[in-house]
Amino acid sequence: MSLPIHICNKSQEMESNFDTIDSFKNFDDCSFSNVPYILLNIHLSWENTLMSLNLGFQIAQEVRVKKKYKKPIIFYSPLTQTFFEEKAKTNIKYKLLFGRGSSFVQIPTDIKNVESISEKINPLSNAALIDITTMLCDIKGMILDKLNHNLKITNKPIEVINEVIPYLSKEQLLNIRADEYGNKLSNLIKYDNISDFFKIKKEFIDLCSLWLGVKEATKKIITKNKPDILLVDDETEVLDKIEQNLESEFNIYRTTSGAEALSILQKDTSNSIMAIIADWRLYKDSSNTKWQPYQGYEVLEIAAKTGFRTLIALTSQPEYIVNQIRNSLGIRFVLFKKDEVIYNGNWSILSTILKESIEEQISIVSAIPSAATRWWGNMDNKKNKVIVQGSLFYQYLKAMHSVNKTLFFKEIDQKCDEIWSYLMDNYLINGNFDEVEDIRERYSLKKTDKNPMLFDVLVLRRIWLALWYKEHDDAFKISQEEILENKINIFKIISEKKQERNNEESSAKAEITKLCIVIHQIRNYQILPEEKSWLLSKPEIGLDNLK
């Protein structure tokens, strides 16, 4: 039997127990006949496809429909399954995730557990494969099946019909008279007129069958997946204008209330809302005299504290007022003059900023270290939960949204440059790093045992990564013995004092836990974007292939 296949982006290959497909050409050339299961990255970026388009679902569809593959497909993403459940309501391709033969894993996690997941999934029968293929290719059949199956006297007809409306064109909706038939069927149930209910149901489904043949019906299905964004403005006219110009590329949530916006964010536990566009000042009435309890800048502040989101402020206020408040909040956001966007039509600039920033967010989240107990917070054993406040994740979130973000990461760059220069000077003289002094003490880097400091952890992580990648030109061929030896050697270089090197193996393991080093992530170059950028600036490390 062949190895399982990992369908992924370039430089994201798994360990040697997977074969890799990282391009359309590799995919087209591959035979899946004896593959036990497939591990598939939802956010493929082949040939510069945007990760936010979730190309993985299209590839999975090809696997089922064209390759006739019956074995398990395990999807993975940094986003939650709930996020894709919502997408499945308006786009048929996402339904593949919830059908027979599929499963989902949210990262960061230990991807090695996919084998045990695959063993619990039954392969598709010939009939099930035909069923799934039909569902993916035949929109008309899927809708008619849904209506036939769910339009019952025990269900609410209007709700059932509303479930298929997103798949229909305006012309189809007009001709099948969905509202009219929904009300008719509801009234027949209300008055217990069962015989007429089934007559009207058949009449409605026959009408649907006639009009679902119109080709325009597929428009809604083949549109790109759209990221969720939240609009906050006290004027419905402004919201209408923004929605009209952005709805083709983004899934819009909107509100005129700051308080309601905060409620929406509070319920968004999966962080599916990836951007906030908020009016700076929110009023209760059209006279612009009474302020709402929560202003737009307060919505942005809370959004920054709860997730990686793009923050955009629309304002007509003088810039000195906005900048003064922004500095007091301590958060970064993009500022747009309302007149320039709403009335002068600079929508392409706004759209480009949104898309690029969302791409960056996905890149960051997918590379966050998966060593949960260190990165995500300390475990409170009494309450049996992780305390996120003050954790490395919380500190990193604040740093990414801070007005001082550029300065913070520049200082990390400078500290790492200084340490790396010292290490390389010794390396050029000795041919190895054996003669270096302990760098923590030399460069005033604090302990990371208790109350870890993000700055110190990120500096030490980069040096650890640099030593790892320089030691191994081809990280994918490292044996387990070499991994252990390399851990110990790196620990010797970045430890605090020589006398603390007793039991080097356990100390090395403790070190990588403190720094949230996850070996399989490091071997797959799954590291934070700013870490990758710094490493690429050092040609002696030899990571040119990542560019």
Side-chain angles (χ1 to χ4, degrees):
M1 182 176 285
S2 304
L3 290 172
I5 286 178
H6 184 205
I7 302 180
C8 58
N9 294 315
K10 289 190 181 298
S11 301
Q12 195 199 349
E13 292 85 357
M14 297 292 292
E15 297 173 12
S16 58
N17 55 338
F18 281 87
D19 284 333
T20 298
I21 293 177
D22 59 8
S23 69
F24 287 110
K25 184 181 185 307
N26 289 348
F27 177 80
D28 291 336
D29 294 343
C30 183
S31 170
F32 291 79
S33 56
N34 295 314
V35 175
Y37 66 91
I38 294 172
L39 177 64
L40 193 153
N41 183 351
I42 287 173
H43 309 287
L44 299 177
S45 58
W46 295 352
E47 296 182 6
N48 298 317
T49 304
L50 294 176
M51 285 190 290
S52 56
L53 298 184
N54 300 328
L55 175 64
F57 285 101
Q58 179 181 325
I59 296 301
Q61 180 173 332
E62 300 261 327
V63 168
R64 293 297 192 207
V65 176
K66 293 185 178 180
K67 303 287 187 179
K68 307 297 183 185
Y69 183 73
K70 301 177 187 176
K71 302 287 182 62
I73 300 177
I74 302 174
F75 297 81
Y76 69 90
S77 167
L79 306 176
T80 66
Q81 183 167 319
T82 306
F83 175 84
F84 297 107
E85 287 172 356
E86 288 298 313
K87 298 300 176 190
K89 293 178 181 178
T90 56
N91 194 321
I92 195 171
K93 73 177 183 181
Y94 294 100
K95 292 185 178 296
L96 188 57
L97 177 60
F98 309 104
R100 286 271 306 280
S102 300
S103 187
F104 176 83
V105 174
Q106 185 181 4
I107 56 173
T109 187
D110 185 1
I111 296 295
K112 290 181 181 178
N113 67 10
V114 296
E115 185 169 356
S116 62
I117 294 174
S118 71
E119 292 171 353
K120 298 175 184 177
I121 303 173
N122 292 325
L124 300 178
S125 63
N126 287 332
L129 181 62
I130 292 170
D131 191 19
I132 286 177
T133 301
T134 304
M135 182 269 291
L136 290 171
C137 298
D138 182 10
I139 305 303
K140 176 179 177 179
M142 185 274 293
I143 293 176
L144 292 179
D145 180 71
K146 198 175 188 71
L147 292 174
N148 260 316
H149 188 265
N150 292 343
L151 280 176
K152 302 175 181 177
I153 57 174
T154 53
N155 289 341
K156 297 179 180 179
I158 292 176
E159 291 183 4
V160 173
I161 292 171
N162 284 342
E163 287 179 3
V164 303
I165 281 177
Y167 299 98
L168 305 175
S169 70
K170 290 181 179 179
E171 182 180 0
Q172 289 167 341
L173 283 173
L174 180 66
N175 284 285
I176 68 174
R177 300 172 356 234
D179 289 340
E180 177 185 332
Y181 276 97
N183 289 327
K184 276 185 181 180
L185 292 169
S186 296
N187 286 329
L188 291 170
I189 292 174
K190 181 179 179 181
Y191 295 108
D192 203 25
N193 191 341
I194 306 304
S195 60
D196 282 347
F197 174 87
F198 288 106
K199 289 178 183 177
I200 298 299
K201 172 184 173 179
K202 183 179 183 306
E203 181 180 317
F204 175 60
I205 289 176
D206 287 346
L207 191 62
C208 288
S209 181
L210 174 65
W211 285 101
L212 287 176
V214 179
K215 290 183 179 180
E216 193 183 10
T218 58
K219 277 188 176 180
K220 197 74 175 179
I221 308 308
I222 61 174
T223 52
K224 299 174 181 178
N225 176 47
K226 298 182 287 188
D228 295 341
I229 65 174
L230 174 62
L231 310 180
V232 190
D233 198 292
D234 54 16
E235 299 180 70
T236 55
E237 296 82 359
V238 172
L239 291 174
D240 290 342
K241 190 81 171 177
I242 299 173
E243 185 168 5
Q244 288 167 13
N245 285 276
L246 295 182
E247 65 181 350
S248 64
E249 297 179 287
F250 303 95
N251 186 35
I252 308 293
Y253 292 81
R254 50 181 280 178
T255 178
T256 57
S257 162
E260 186 179 359
L262 295 179
S263 176
I264 292 171
L265 290 175
Q266 186 178 21
K267 293 174 185 176
D268 180 33
T269 54
S270 64
N271 275 272
S272 64
I273 294 176
M274 299 184 128
I276 319 291
I277 303 177
D279 189 13
W280 190 252
R281 188 152 292 165
L282 301 173
Y283 294 97
K284 286 184 177 181
D285 52 21
S286 58
S287 64
N288 291 348
T289 53
K290 295 181 180 179
W291 289 20
Q292 292 187 20
Y294 293 98
Q295 294 297 292
Y297 50 81
E298 292 171 307
V299 173
L300 295 176
E301 180 185 22
I302 291 171
K305 292 179 179 178
T306 55
F308 293 102
R309 297 184 172 105
T310 300
L311 308 177
I312 294 179
L314 294 177
T315 182
S316 301
Q317 299 292 317
E319 283 194 27
Y320 75 90
I321 294 177
V322 174
N323 289 331
Q324 188 175 9
I325 295 175
R326 171 162 52 185
N327 291 338
S328 68
L329 295 174
I331 62 171
R332 298 166 57 245
F333 53 78
V334 180
L335 181 65
F336 271 91
K337 284 290 187 180
K338 187 177 282 191
D339 289 350
E340 288 295 316
V341 178
I342 305 300
Y343 305 114
N344 292 347
N346 286 325
W347 298 107
S348 61
I349 298 174
L350 178 58
S351 175
T352 299
I353 287 174
L354 281 169
K355 286 185 287 189
E356 289 180 352
S357 183
I358 287 170
E359 284 295 305
E360 181 185 7
Q361 289 164 228
I362 293 174
S363 175
I364 291 170
V365 173
S366 63
I368 283 177
S370 59
T373 54
R374 290 296 298 182
W375 185 262
W376 298 100
N378 296 315
M379 175 62 73
D380 184 334
N381 293 321
K382 292 182 179 179
K383 297 182 179 179
N384 195 29
K385 68 176 184 178
V386 174
I387 307 301
V388 176
Q389 192 78 13
S391 66
L392 289 169
F393 167 74
Y394 185 77
Q395 293 177 54
Y396 187 70
L397 185 64
K398 285 181 66 177
M400 294 301 293
H401 280 305
S402 170
V403 292
N404 296 319
K405 173 188 173 182
T406 303
L407 177 61
F408 177 76
F409 286 105
K410 184 178 180 181
E411 288 176 348
I412 290 177
D413 287 344
Q414 291 171 344
K415 178 71 79 170
C416 290
D417 286 345
E418 189 179 355
I419 295 172
W420 188 245
S421 177
Y422 165 71
L423 291 174
M424 286 306 298
D425 286 346
N426 279 271
Y427 184 82
L428 292 172
I429 295 171
N430 303 306
N432 54 50
F433 299 105
D434 292 346
E435 301 302 319
V436 299
E437 298 177 21
D438 303 302
I439 64 172
R440 287 194 181 177
E441 193 169 35
R442 184 182 183 90
Y443 292 98
S444 304
L445 295 169
K446 302 177 182 65
K447 282 188 175 184
T448 56
D449 313 34
K450 298 177 182 178
N451 303 318
M453 301 296 294
L454 181 68
F455 182 92
D456 300 319
V457 170
L458 292 182
V459 168
L460 289 167
R461 269 180 61 89
R462 286 197 198 177
I463 300 303
W464 201 103
L465 295 171
L467 291 166
W468 169 272
Y469 290 127
K470 180 165 177 58
E471 184 71 17
H472 301 286
D473 294 331
D474 186 350
F476 302 108
K477 295 181 180 178
I478 308 173
S479 68
Q480 292 299 316
E481 292 75 14
E482 288 176 305
I483 290 173
L484 176 59
E485 182 182 354
N486 203 37
K487 283 182 190 176
I488 294 173
N489 289 339
I490 294 173
F491 167 72
K492 289 179 179 179
I493 295 168
I494 66 172
S495 62
E496 295 186 54
K497 295 178 182 177
K498 292 181 180 178
Q499 58 266 35
E500 293 183 4
R501 294 181 187 169
N502 300 327
N503 194 354
E504 290 172 342
E505 182 177 342
S506 62
S507 296
K509 289 180 180 177
E511 186 63 38
I512 67 172
T513 299
K514 292 175 185 177
L515 300 183
C516 303
I517 300 294
V518 184
I519 295 297
H520 77 78
Q521 284 184 288
I522 304 306
R523 293 175 76 175
N524 297 334
Y525 303 104
Q526 188 180 343
I527 54 181
L528 297 168
E530 62 275 6
E531 293 175 334
K532 186 177 291 186
S533 176
W534 182 81
L535 289 165
L536 287 172
S537 72
K538 310 298 175 195
E540 65 273 16
I541 297 174
L543 292 182
D544 291 341
N545 58 312
L546 287 186
K547 287 183 179 179

